[in-house]
Amino acid sequence: MTATILTQTYNFSAYMIYLPIVIALTVLVSQFLFKNSKTFMIDIFHQKEDIAMATNSLFKIGFYLLNIGFALCIIEFFQIETVERLVVALSKKIGGFSIYLGIMMLLNLLLFLKGRKHAMNKEKQIQNENIDL
């Protein structure tokens, strides 16, 4: 007969702290990014606000799915036995996720800027063709 020693771990606490924080961070960044991207989208779609807003909403859903999915993929914590290790583990996970989220936000911004530049170049081409006629 073997005796098993049950040790208390803080893993469940880690999950219960981690999940609300990363979801809140994702929602906060998403709201900020897509609220401020409306101007870019309207420019990209040549003042067609309905198409711009629909596309912006689709980008927002994709942003949520990608980032919350990534947060769930990296959720695993290993045998956290002290409060100190809990704080360290959460700091590493949330810090890493914050860096990832920042990179994703910058990539979205670059996409908006590239789309706006492309739309402006296309508009200039159309204006030049109309002048040549």
Side-chain angles (χ1 to χ4, degrees):
M1 184 158 137
T2 61
T4 57
I5 300 170
L6 297 175
T7 57
Q8 179 183 1
T9 65
Y10 291 93
N11 287 36
F12 185 74
S13 298
Y15 298 130
M16 293 299 103
I17 295 168
Y18 172 80
L19 281 172
I21 290 174
V22 297
I23 290 170
L25 276 172
T26 301
V27 169
L28 210 123
V29 169
S30 176
Q31 294 298 322
F32 181 76
L33 179 64
F34 292 100
K35 177 183 155 202
N36 293 306
S37 67
K38 289 178 185 177
T39 307
F40 291 106
M41 296 302 270
I42 290 170
D43 258 2
I44 290 169
F45 289 102
H46 306 288
Q47 309 309 314
K48 295 177 183 171
E49 196 167 332
D50 55 338
I51 295 173
M53 293 302 98
T55 305
N56 202 34
S57 293
L58 292 172
F59 268 113
K60 188 177 192 180
I61 291 168
F63 189 83
Y64 281 137
L65 290 172
L66 187 64
N67 293 308
I68 291 174
F70 181 75
L72 292 172
C73 282
I74 65 168
I75 194 171
E76 191 170 17
F77 290 97
F78 296 101
Q79 290 303 100
I80 302 171
E81 294 170 351
T82 66
V83 174
E84 181 182 352
R85 287 188 180 186
L86 173 66
V87 171
V88 170
L90 284 170
S91 297
K92 286 181 180 180
K93 289 280 186 184
I94 294 168
F97 182 75
S98 296
I99 291 168
Y100 162 80
L101 202 55
I103 291 169
M104 292 306 294
M105 188 185 80
L106 290 174
L107 287 174
N108 270 294
L109 184 59
L110 287 173
L111 283 173
F112 293 138
L113 290 171
K114 188 173 182 171
R116 185 171 185 235
K117 183 179 178 183
H118 178 74
M120 292 175 90
N121 286 341
K122 191 172 181 181
E123 195 172 295
K124 284 181 185 178
Q125 279 181 335
I126 292 170
Q127 287 176 350
N128 287 340
E129 287 174 3
N130 289 341
I131 291 172
D132 290 341
L133 294 177

